[in-house]
Amino acid sequence: MSFVMIVNAQSIESARKHLYDQRYESAVRELQLMVDRGVNMPEAAYWLGEVYLQQQKPEAAREVLLKGTKYATLKNISRKAEPFVFIGWAHYLLNK
């Protein structure tokens, strides 16, 4: 189990590096795979939303951030425990 957590953390770090290096398509591929599999949710949804906002794709950001907030709600994950996706939603609203 801890091996999976380490791999997932590395995937988030790798995607973040792609984002910071402006390799948006690479970041999207990694993060979309995590979101589709429900891995590292809702943090993966946050980072994918951030990539989409950087790419000037607000509707794609909205879609993935809504998916992340719904996931958090369904899993009873508090905003305090996993604030990322809620911060991403606020970022989306500020850029809208």
Side-chain angles (χ1 to χ4, degrees):
M1 181 71 145
S2 62
F3 174 74
V4 172
M5 290 175 65
I6 291 169
V7 170
N8 291 341
Q10 289 174 341
S11 296
I12 288 284
E13 289 302 314
S14 173
R16 284 177 48 198
K17 182 163 178 30
H18 290 311
L19 171 61
Y20 295 139
D21 292 340
Q22 297 181 351
R23 294 190 307 260
Y24 300 126
E25 293 308 315
S26 296
V28 167
R29 275 192 304 276
E30 287 188 30
L31 292 164
Q32 189 63 60
L33 188 61
M34 285 186 264
V35 168
D36 290 345
R37 292 181 178 171
V39 175
N40 266 347
M41 285 289 279
E43 186 177 359
Y46 163 75
W47 287 109
L48 184 54
E50 288 297 308
V51 173
Y52 285 140
L53 289 173
Q54 288 294 317
Q55 291 181 306
Q56 303 298 310
K57 297 179 179 178
E59 287 308 308
R62 179 182 181 279
E63 184 179 317
V64 74
L65 291 166
L66 278 176
K67 186 174 185 176
T69 56
K70 287 178 184 177
Y71 178 91
T73 302
L74 279 164
K75 298 289 184 176
N76 292 320
I77 300 171
S78 73
R79 291 179 182 179
K80 189 174 184 179
E82 283 288 341
F84 285 106
V85 76
F86 300 102
I87 292 167
W89 184 251
H91 188 197
Y92 162 76
L93 291 174
L94 287 170
N95 285 293
K96 189 172 121 155

